[in-house]
Amino acid sequence: MLQLLKIEWLKVKNYRTFWVLSILYLVSIFGSNYIAWLVWDSRPKKNSDVNMLVGNPFKFPDVWHVVSYTSSFLMFMLGLLMIISVTNEYSYKTHRQNIIDGWSRRQFVGVKVLLTFIISIAATIAVILTALAFGLFEDASLFSFEKFEFIGYFFIQALSYSAAALLFSLLFKRSGISIGVYFLYTLILENMLAGFLNRYFDNVGRYLPLESTDNLIRIPVFKMIINQFTASYNTTLLLTMALIYLALYIFLSMRKFETDDL
Amino acid sequence: MYGKIQALNNVSFSIPPGSVFGILGPNGSGKTTMLGIVMDVLKPTSGSYSFFGQPATAELRKNMGTLLETPNFYHYLSGERNLIIAAEIKGKGKDDIDNVLRRVNLFERKDSRFSTYSLGMKQRLAIASALLGNPNVLVLDEPTNGLDPVGIAEIRDLIRALSAEGKTIIMASHLLDEVEKVCTHVAILKKGNLLVDGAVDEVLVNEDIVEVGAMNLPQLITVLQGMNGYTNMKNNGKLVQLFYAATTAPLESINRHCFNQGVVLNHLQLKKKSLEAKFFELTN
């Protein structure tokens, strides 16, 4: 497996687009949270109603939740990195050459699955560091691992988004269409469908593929208000569904690549 | 089956070890499709293939050097870095890389990005990649594609040299001349069907054709029938054609024979049957 990863590393090591996007993504994780912090910090501090309503989301333990939530808006970037990595192989036809040179089809697609884990781990580490930075800055004495499960949810969400991107790239093969369909699906189409199903079919829209991971990390502020008009969430079921979908993305990706004409 | 097109139909042959085996056929005859199937990049509807009498596996592919259709490399990496990846996949060391780059005259440009290479250089890099790890079997799909005349001659020399080292070389080509010049064996495909296969000097038999004419054609034919040595005789109404094995047509003795039998020739011409004509005859 290390040998396979070494080869993937050789492919990506000198690929500038990948690194530019990766670094900007990591900076943006911090950036998006900094924006949220600026918005929160500009609240009317003397208004006790506002203070009671929002509290301090950047203190431990809430910061684990808040930073995971804010960072999750950048999930599509992980998908983009994955799509580039796979569709590049198609446009250079190196997916064929790797097989011709002696990789099995399973090895080729297996490395891409490993890549989804690696970029998800990298993103999760960035989120942990960002949460630590804000939490320690606000009040280091409150440090705790309470609510650290949100970091775990973030990791599962990251895995789901990148594995779904892997499947999309293997299905569409071309970068343009993969990126377009992936963005529209993750940002709009699934949310639209989820909204419709939630409204008319007793909230089943919550269990759509990526929706189930989005709902693991729910909006951390205004809980008191929101909870009044949404049905309660079943986290165990969401988690189960998320893992089932994840297994499905990986299974379908492997199957697609192992049976396709390359 | 590839989509709705049946690209290959019951093609079956075996390749003798140590041969330079040409797969010859016009564009779209199924050469690349067939090689794609044995390299596991295309999935056949049915059929089987084996290497060295064993079922084909990824491990076996590591010990073959293959250039399939186009040079496939990472455009943003240098020639050398691309070969490092290929060598890693094949499980061969990096020691061979300089050597194979020199062998295809690409060593000076090894640090240039693949995207800056000319078509001929890309093709050379693909051949260099196929040579990594000194494999005993090479599969080269139109190896001289995109090369200039000097490059073509170099690659042909390289193929002959590799063959002399005892390697088995499978080469697909639509260039009959190329197959005739470098191959020992050949299989000819047309629209996915195998027309013929065997040793080159058996399949692509060259013939000499002697055209003979005289005032009295029926008498000439009678006289010629009394002569032996030719393989076939054809009469096109104006001239008589005699077929001989390559380079064996005895013009003088034909002339003498006819004259002695009282027929004076008014036409005697040796025609070499071109391989091209042979190829058209086989594929049409």
Side-chain angles (χ1 to χ4, degrees), chain B:
Chain B
M1 290 281 275
Y2 196 85
K4 286 200 171 88
I5 308 291
Q6 179 148 11
L8 280 177
N9 177 30
N10 286 325
V11 175
S12 177
F13 54 81
S14 49
I15 294 168
S19 65
V20 181
F21 195 98
I23 297 167
L24 183 63
N27 296 330
S29 57
K31 305 183 293 286
T32 302
T33 305
M34 184 171 64
L35 294 176
I37 289 171
V38 300
M39 288 297 145
D40 195 32
V41 296
L42 297 175
K43 294 283 185 189
T45 325
S46 63
S48 68
Y49 50 95
S50 62
F51 296 138
F52 323 111
Q54 304 168 40
T57 59
E59 282 311 307
L60 279 173
R61 287 201 298 278
K62 288 181 182 174
N63 295 312
M64 302 171 70
T66 304
L67 155 62
L68 191 63
E69 200 168 25
T70 48
N72 306 323
F73 293 101
Y74 298 93
H75 290 205
Y76 54 88
L77 294 179
S78 69
E80 186 182 28
R81 289 212 159 101
N82 270 299
L83 290 193
I84 292 174
I85 291 180
E88 288 286 350
I89 291 177
K90 287 166 181 277
K92 316 288 181 196
K94 292 181 195 170
D95 319 342
D96 220 14
I97 289 173
D98 284 356
N99 180 27
V100 295
L101 282 168
R102 282 206 183 85
R103 221 166 164 178
V104 299
N105 287 332
L106 212 55
F107 186 72
E108 286 73 25
R109 291 293 304 273
K110 71 188 172 101
D111 295 321
S112 308
R113 280 155 54 117
F114 178 74
S115 55
T116 67
Y117 283 8
S118 70
L119 185 56
M121 291 164 71
K122 289 174 177 171
Q123 193 73 7
R124 286 161 193 267
L125 186 67
I127 293 168
S129 181
L131 295 175
L132 282 171
N134 201 18
N136 283 320
V137 177
L138 286 153
V139 178
L140 304 172
D141 187 4
E142 309 203 351
T144 56
N145 218 356
L147 296 175
D148 56 26
V150 177
I152 291 176
E154 283 170 7
I155 294 306
R156 285 182 184 164
D157 287 343
L158 177 63
I159 291 173
R160 284 195 205 95
L162 291 166
S163 171
E165 291 168 23
K167 299 187 186 310
T168 306
I169 298 163
I170 301 162
M171 189 175 96
S173 180
H174 59 265
L175 303 173
L176 183 86
D177 166 65
E178 180 164 279
V179 168
E180 201 232 346
K181 279 184 175 143
V182 296
C183 295
T184 59
H185 292 70
V186 66
I188 300 181
L189 291 183
K190 184 198 169 191
K191 289 185 182 162
N193 292 290
L194 179 66
L195 294 182
V196 60
D197 75 299
V200 165
D201 46 10
E202 288 166 20
V203 174
L204 300 175
V205 193
N206 251 331
E207 288 178 311
D208 283 356
I209 303 169
V210 180
E211 284 183 346
V212 191
M215 287 294 282
N216 189 340
L217 211 56
Q219 191 195 356
L220 173 65
I221 292 169
T222 317
V223 167
L224 289 174
Q225 279 166 347
M227 192 182 73
N228 47 31
Y230 56 86
T231 55
N232 194 11
M233 175 160 59
K234 278 185 191 166
N235 172 13
N236 68 8
K238 289 177 188 159
L239 295 167
V240 177
Q241 291 184 319
L242 296 172
F243 292 81
Y244 288 89
T247 71
T248 63
L251 293 185
E252 271 182 30
S253 57
I254 296 170
N255 196 3
R256 189 180 302 119
H257 175 82
C258 291
F259 192 77
N260 290 343
Q261 301 291 318
V263 177
V264 181
L265 300 180
N266 62 9
H267 182 101
L268 177 65
Q269 188 183 15
L270 174 65
K271 284 194 160 177
K272 293 273 181 187
K273 184 168 183 181
S274 79
L275 279 166
E276 236 66 42
K278 179 78 184 177
F279 185 49
F280 284 130
E281 185 184 296
L282 281 168
T283 55
N284 281 329

Side-chain angles (χ1 to χ4, degrees), chain A residues 30-85:
Chain A
F30 178 84
S32 58
N33 284 286
Y34 183 64
I35 294 170
W37 182 85
L38 286 176
V39 171
W40 170 75
D41 199 49
S42 63
R43 72 195 184 283
K45 295 192 177 76
K46 287 182 182 136
N47 184 329
S48 60
D49 288 347
V50 171
N51 277 331
M52 199 189 74
L53 199 60
V54 297
N56 185 348
F58 290 97
K59 273 186 181 159
F60 289 112
D62 284 331
V63 69
W64 297 120
H65 184 179
V66 170
V67 170
S68 299
Y69 178 79
T70 314
S71 309
S72 71
F73 283 92
L74 290 168
M75 278 301 164
F76 63 87
M77 278 303 297
L78 287 180
L80 184 63
L81 290 175
M82 233 16 250
I83 290 171
I84 292 175
S85 151

Side-chain angles (χ1 to χ4, degrees), chain A residues 205-262:
Chain A
R206 288 176 178 176
Y207 301 102
L208 287 176
L210 295 167
E211 213 33 39
S212 60
T213 67
D214 291 349
N215 284 320
L216 283 173
I217 310 172
R218 295 183 289 278
I219 186 163
V221 289
F222 311 124
K223 275 179 246 176
M224 282 179 287
I225 299 173
I226 290 168
N227 287 346
Q228 283 169 14
F229 53 91
T230 56
S232 64
Y233 288 83
N234 182 341
T235 302
T236 315
L237 186 56
L238 284 172
L239 201 53
T240 312
M241 290 307 290
L243 293 175
I244 289 172
Y245 285 124
L246 185 57
L248 213 56
Y249 303 139
I250 293 173
F251 171 77
L252 291 175
S253 295
M254 310 270 291
R255 198 187 151 79
K256 171 74 180 158
F257 194 79
E258 285 182 52
T259 55
D260 231 359
D261 280 327
L262 302 180

